[in-house]
Amino acid sequence: MLKLIIGQRSRGAAATKWSPRGVDDLAPLVQRCQRSERDAIRTLVVTLGPTMLQMVRRVLGPADPDAEDVYQEAVIGLVKALPGFRSECSTRHFGCRIATLTALKARRQRRPEREVALPDTDGDDAVDDESAAGADERDWALVARRRDILRRLLDELPDAQAEALVLHCVAGMTLEEVAAVARAPVETARSRLRMAKTALRERIARDPALSDLLEDAP
């Protein structure tokens, strides 16, 4: 249910495309970036930009007014982190993690009064024309509300657990990829993911209103 709601994709939306396992097509470019070649840094940012922005929007919500600012912060974080990148994972996974951590941090720093339910209506989560034409507005509002609630529940998880959940359930990384990105043993990544899912299920079960709202989620 968590994957379907937080990271739900429409039939018309393209999934994030990772490099084949064990292959990092951006490695030569990263090496140039680590030599402070400005054109290489620009090329890397342009290449990773769409995926990083997509991850920011999935964590914050696609219509979040701060998404672009958080994305820019993530890009700066990526450039600053490049000198210490030792290819423990692919470059695309590395950028995805930077974006995820930056967005999670941004969520935690917000004041409660700034949190408002925002519709999931941008291109990343948009439905195709045929389904949109027949969709009931109340149904889509309910779906948006469910996603918003589950994003907020991420704020209650420890950082490492929230990161594992987003990378696995939203970015679609395998357990081994999550472990590599987090520089942790596979069993540690597995434990974090299991605890995150258990904590969210228990949190939902304790709140009848949440249970009713999320019941039979599409």
Side-chain angles (χ1 to χ4, degrees), residues 13-202:
T16 300
K17 295 182 179 179
W18 304 117
S19 300
R21 188 170 301 179
V23 176
D24 188 355
D25 59 318
L26 297 178
L29 187 61
V30 170
Q31 292 173 1
R32 292 177 56 203
C33 291
Q34 292 173 330
R35 294 195 296 266
S36 300
E37 297 183 21
R38 293 189 177 183
D39 61 326
I41 294 174
R42 285 195 294 269
T43 300
L44 184 66
V45 169
V46 170
T47 301
L48 296 182
T51 295
M52 293 180 68
L53 179 58
Q54 181 184 68
M55 288 308 303
V56 168
R57 285 176 170 169
R58 288 190 183 181
V59 173
L60 298 182
D64 191 287
D66 296 328
E68 290 289 341
D69 290 339
V70 174
Y71 161 68
Q72 292 296 331
E73 183 180 347
V75 169
I76 293 173
L78 170 69
V79 174
K80 289 183 176 179
L82 281 175
F85 179 48
R86 296 295 178 264
S87 301
E88 298 90 346
C89 59
S90 77
T91 305
R92 296 179 192 277
H93 284 151
F94 183 66
C96 182
R97 187 198 188 201
I98 295 290
T100 296
L101 292 177
T102 304
L104 287 172
K105 179 181 177 181
R107 287 197 59 88
R108 284 160 163 72
Q109 291 178 337
R110 287 178 171 176
R111 297 179 179 180
E113 59 267 25
R114 288 190 62 198
E115 289 286 359
V116 294
L118 296 167
D120 286 347
T121 55
D122 79 334
D124 185 40
D125 285 311
V127 295
D128 55 33
D129 293 339
E130 181 180 353
S131 58
D136 183 89
E137 291 184 3
R138 292 183 180 180
D139 289 342
W140 286 111
L142 180 59
V143 171
R145 179 61 175 157
R146 286 166 172 164
R147 292 179 184 171
D148 183 66
I149 286 175
L150 285 174
R151 287 187 180 104
R152 296 191 193 191
L153 289 178
L154 287 174
D155 301 341
E156 301 179 15
L157 295 174
D159 291 347
Q161 292 180 24
E163 175 193 356
L165 188 71
V166 172
L167 293 178
H168 182 66
C169 292
V170 180
M173 293 186 194
T174 66
L175 190 61
E176 291 76 13
E177 289 168 340
V178 172
V181 167
R183 301 177 182 178
V186 173
E187 286 306 313
T188 298
R190 189 192 310 277
S191 177
R192 290 173 180 174
L193 185 60
R194 181 177 63 251
M195 288 189 292
K197 289 181 177 180
T198 299
L200 289 188
R201 291 190 184 104
E202 291 177 349

